[in-house]
Amino acid sequence: MASSGARLNGLCLCGAVRFLVTAPFTDAGRCHCKRCQIRSGQSSSLIARVPRAGLEITGGADELRVWRPPTGHPKWFCGLCGTHLFAGELDAEGPLFLRLGTLDPTPNVEPRWHAWVSSMPSWATLPDDGLPRYDRGLTAPAAHR
Ligand SMILES: [Zn+2]
Ligand SMILES: [Zn+2]
């Protein structure tokens, strides 16, 4: 599905934080939750999941900042430019959720779902792509939030 398995570089807008994705995506989809709207300034964000071992911070680790919401995954971003990079625990084995716009080269991705469509703004429309649509998070695989 998701990626070809090629190694992908990730970086923030100012270039201070860099990372390398070494594992194929295990899942990808579009999340329409309100947090994704605020974080991205758009109606949704495209997200891919990788195992923790498949992501290596290669630069600017000192600039990484995290927001830990009361529910859901911690959100990692660059403290200098504010770019949101990924979500999940860096000190655990659980998956990380990548913000796909940060990756270079642009990976081949086949989104599999739309999550949190009940939170979509009235000015956004879903494409007629035949993918499953979930009112809220996914029941399986585990929900990104
Ligand atoms: Zn930055
Ligand atoms: Zn979301």
Side-chain angles (χ1 to χ4, degrees):
M1 59 144 330
S3 69
S4 61
R7 292 161 71 94
L8 299 166
N9 294 297
L11 78 170
C12 66
L13 196 57
C14 77
V17 179
R18 295 174 180 273
F19 57 94
L20 186 64
V21 180
T22 58
F25 302 151
T26 57
D27 192 22
R30 187 166 287 281
C31 184
H32 304 264
C33 81
K34 188 61 180 173
R35 285 182 184 161
C36 281
Q37 292 171 38
I38 294 173
R39 174 175 56 245
S40 68
Q42 303 296 317
S43 63
S44 64
S45 64
L46 191 57
I47 291 159
R49 185 161 57 164
V50 294
R52 172 62 189 93
L55 184 139
E56 178 185 342
I57 307 298
T58 54
D62 289 349
E63 303 302 344
L64 268 180
R65 300 291 184 274
V66 64
W67 175 57
R68 294 183 179 276
T71 60
H73 301 287
K75 322 291 189 211
W76 298 88
F77 58 97
C78 173
L80 295 177
C81 69
T83 303
H84 277 257
L85 301 166
F86 39 80
E89 292 288 356
L90 289 179
D91 295 333
E93 292 185 6
L96 295 174
F97 302 88
L98 306 178
R99 316 305 184 195
L100 284 185
T102 63
L103 299 179
D104 181 41
T106 302
N108 282 327
V109 176
E110 294 174 22
R112 287 183 167 175
W113 39 261
H114 293 278
W116 290 96
V117 297
S118 61
S119 297
M120 284 180 60
S122 59
W123 44 266
T125 54
L126 280 174
D128 188 18
D129 54 16
L131 294 178
R133 301 173 178 188
Y134 299 89
D135 278 347
R136 297 168 63 84
L138 307 180
T139 51
H144 149 80
R145 293 181 63 189

